[in-house]
Amino acid sequence: MPSVYIKTYGCQMNERDSEAVASQLVAKGYTLAPSEAAADVILLNTCSVRDLAEQKALRKMENVIAETRRRSPDVVLGFMGCVAQSRGRELIDRLPDVDLVLGTQKFHRAAGYLDDLLAGRRDKVVDVEAEPGSEAAIREHLLGGNAAKSVTAFVSIMQGCNQHCTFCIVPQTRGEERSRGIPDIVAECRELVARGVREITLLGQIVTSYGRRELPEQEGKSAFVQLLEAVSDIQGLERLRFTSPHPKGYGDDLVEAYARLPKLVESAHIPVQSGSDRILKLMHRGYTRARFLGLIEKLRRAQPGIGLSTDFIVGFPGETDADFEDTLSLLREAEFDQGFVFKYSGRRDTPAAQMPDPLPQTVKEERNQRLLELVNTTGARQHQKFVGRQVQILVEGPSKKNPSRLTGRTRCNKIVVFEGSERHHRQLMDVKVTRAGSFTLYGDPAILDEEG
Ligand code: SF4
């Protein structure tokens, strides 16, 4: 049977989509190739959220074509995901060696199309049409692969976004919000738990909008909170997370759920993007700085130990020094545990790309650097508070940087690295934190053993 190699760019949604495609292909008898050089099919799952990511995927495909076509004219080459969706047939016009262009509502069609291409029944396939019901098609997890061995798993609960932030291309690449039903999601989560998964992260572009058109509120609880309750009820599941929410979607019912649902971990990644009301308005974010800070306060009141992270965009068109100072001061006030900083990148056909006063790259670079430094010092201060404390972690496996060590996560989403052994794998266990870096804690289970 043919072998496939999938390279994924971008966010966790893309990782999840790639896993579902790989799983679908494995079920049809394909094998997973360890590298491009060994593959009969090479698929790039692309991201268009920043221009850099898009260019990277295009360059990668040019390199793949140069390498592969020398080796074999029969290797099938395909683009999937956001760049495929936004560029469609243009990709084949530009790179005629590409055989398959598969949009974001078509991942479940990959196996059928690849069969046709490999058998010579079709020469090229471009499918980027909208497909009702496709939001429920991302449900397979790799049998015998990561999900089976892994103690954590991601579950896609919805696709698309209707928020239309002026900088964001997602509503175009992922389409309108479409949510899966609660019973379908719960069934997938149950299956994962039965296979040994102990922590589930519910995924979507704007999870706080989950089901808001299809499922009415019940007893003051939004569809998303109803979903959290239903997944929480699964026996054997230890921890529940979600990403990404929108600050606007954090109603009191969701804040209150943190205090009420024991499996919902004390952790939230809430993208703020800017600390300036003027820029938030230009971004069409739908909240003010004061409302955002009020939300942070409410969350800390509901769960004092909650770990908070965020995303920032620097260099949005027209961002003045004063606007940028507002972002710095918001970070100081909110004391996030972690922040991800992105330089604004104009995306085709988004309102922000047409806005006046684009900022020079040097200004974006300088602001990026200053904000990163503050993110690092704030993060280090927050992490330092854990030194000497005992924390519960779920052990995920070998550390990426140093595979001889193990890594786990606290409920508040801090990474803890420690010298462990096979018996610690997949365990929920306590470790004592001995030191802290900016974004990593270092622990020692032995100290705890001695004390215990
Ligand atoms: S809420 Fe998120 S995904 Fe939706 S438009 Fe805004 S940034 Fe993009």
Side-chain angles (χ1 to χ4, degrees):
M1 282 305 280
S3 61
V4 60
Y5 181 81
I6 305 179
K7 175 149 182 70
T8 308
Y9 296 86
C11 63
Q12 281 157 332
M13 295 286 288
N14 280 18
E15 293 287 348
R16 177 70 197 99
D17 295 338
S18 292
E19 186 200 6
V21 170
S23 166
Q24 179 196 130
L25 294 173
V26 167
K28 287 202 89 180
Y30 285 66
T31 57
L32 299 178
S35 67
E36 291 150 33
D40 303 307
V41 176
I42 301 172
L43 301 173
L44 303 187
N45 193 6
T46 54
C47 167
S48 44
V49 82
R50 274 172 289 284
D51 188 48
L52 202 69
E54 192 161 330
Q55 295 309 327
K56 224 166 145 183
L58 291 170
R59 269 199 310 275
K60 175 73 184 175
M61 185 56 93
E62 283 166 359
N63 292 341
V64 166
I65 290 168
E67 287 291 313
T68 313
R69 288 293 179 243
R70 224 181 305 135
R71 171 166 64 88
S72 157
D74 301 325
V75 175
V76 171
L77 305 176
F79 277 110
M80 305 190 293
C82 292
V83 177
Q85 183 68 44
S86 67
R87 296 198 178 217
R89 178 160 291 279
E90 180 198 325
L91 287 169
I92 291 189
D93 295 341
R94 175 172 169 172
L95 300 167
D97 283 272
V98 169
D99 306 292
L100 173 67
V101 177
L102 206 57
T104 52
Q105 301 193 29
K106 298 293 176 180
F107 291 108
H108 58 294
R109 304 247 170 244
Y113 287 144
L114 287 175
D115 282 353
D116 286 352
L117 288 163
L118 285 160
R121 288 190 292 272
R122 299 172 80 144
D123 185 33
K124 304 271 177 205
V125 175
V126 178
D127 189 356
V128 294
E129 293 301 309
E131 184 170 329
S134 57
E135 66 279 4
I138 304 295
R139 69 179 326 284
E140 279 81 28
H141 295 259
L142 269 181
L143 278 174
N146 285 343
K149 286 180 200 144
S150 171
V151 70
T152 61
F154 291 93
V155 171
S156 172
I157 63 167
M158 66 181 300
Q159 292 279 330
C161 179
N162 293 0
Q163 171 62 25
H164 293 281
C165 299
T166 54
F167 55 82
C168 185
I169 199 169
V170 163
Q172 292 162 49
T173 57
R174 292 277 177 169
E176 295 271 300
E177 287 166 14
R178 291 154 289 125
S179 300
R180 297 171 66 186
I182 292 181
D184 188 29
I185 297 169
V186 170
E188 181 178 335
C189 294
R190 257 190 228 292
E191 207 179 300
L192 288 165
V193 171
R195 286 161 61 182
V197 166
R198 304 179 81 180
E199 177 183 301
I200 285 177
T201 303
L202 303 179
L203 269 186
Q205 271 92 20
I206 180 162
V207 287
T208 38
S209 293
Y210 169 82
R212 63 180 171 160
R213 281 184 299 188
E214 302 87 353
L215 294 165
E217 275 196 4
Q218 274 183 12
E219 297 162 12
K221 287 179 241 166
S222 64
F224 183 55
V225 171
Q226 293 170 44
L227 173 68
L228 292 177
E229 286 180 348
V231 177
S232 266
D233 281 345
I234 297 173
Q235 262 199 346
L237 178 71
E238 308 272 1
R239 292 175 169 191
L240 178 59
R241 301 182 187 276
F242 56 82
T243 197
S244 282
H246 191 290
K248 210 165 84 151
Y250 262 91
D252 287 345
D253 60 330
L254 181 53
V255 173
E256 187 262 326
Y258 279 95
R260 189 165 55 83
L261 301 176
K263 292 179 188 174
L264 182 60
V265 294
E266 303 82 62
S267 168
H269 177 77
I270 317 179
V272 65
Q273 311 301 7
S274 170
S276 151
D277 280 342
R278 203 179 68 80
I279 297 297
L280 287 172
K281 199 162 177 194
L282 286 173
M283 288 176 166
H284 191 235
R285 289 293 287 171
Y287 52 85
T288 59
R289 169 195 178 96
R291 190 164 155 209
F292 184 88
L293 288 169
L295 168 62
I296 299 294
E297 204 185 307
K298 275 193 208 171
L299 284 167
R300 287 206 165 113
R301 225 180 297 132
Q303 266 303 352
I306 195 164
L308 294 170
S309 58
T310 195
D311 294 332
F312 296 103
I313 293 175
V314 293
F316 189 80
E319 183 189 70
T320 61
D321 285 340
D323 293 319
F324 179 62
E325 287 301 327
D326 283 346
T327 299
L328 293 172
S329 72
L330 179 128
L331 169 55
R332 282 188 207 102
E333 253 181 82
E335 282 273 314
F336 291 106
D337 299 80
Q338 190 160 13
F340 300 90
V341 183
F342 303 97
K343 284 171 277 185
Y344 170 75
S345 155
R347 307 309 295 118
R348 284 184 309 162
D349 305 327
T350 57
Q354 270 43 269
M355 284 183 184
D357 307 322
L359 265 65
Q361 196 58 23
T362 48
V363 174
K364 290 188 202 171
E365 299 283 354
E366 191 252 338
R367 289 183 185 171
N368 181 59
Q369 202 44 43
R370 280 182 63 197
L371 189 54
L372 267 182
E373 278 162 21
L374 189 58
V375 161
N376 287 346
T377 45
T378 312
R381 199 162 46 240
Q382 294 295 89
H383 279 68
Q384 201 58 39
K385 291 179 186 165
F386 283 81
V387 176
R389 276 169 53 184
Q390 184 174 317
V391 292
Q392 186 209 55
I393 60 168
L394 179 60
V395 183
E396 294 176 5
S399 153
K400 274 192 195 123
K401 280 194 189 148
N402 180 353
S404 68
R405 291 173 170 179
L406 290 179
T407 179
R409 237 168 248 270
T410 65
R411 285 174 59 97
C412 60
N413 211 24
K414 304 277 177 300
I415 294 169
V416 181
V417 174
F418 66 102
E419 305 282 343
S421 62
E422 191 56 38
R423 74 190 163 95
H424 294 125
H425 272 265
R426 308 166 51 84
Q427 296 302 310
L428 263 181
M429 56 182 276
D430 287 342
V431 292
K432 188 150 183 177
V433 178
T434 51
R435 66 188 174 93
S438 287
F439 300 110
T440 310
L441 300 174
Y442 297 88
D444 194 339
I447 293 179
L448 210 65
D449 287 345
E450 279 164 23
E451 284 177 356

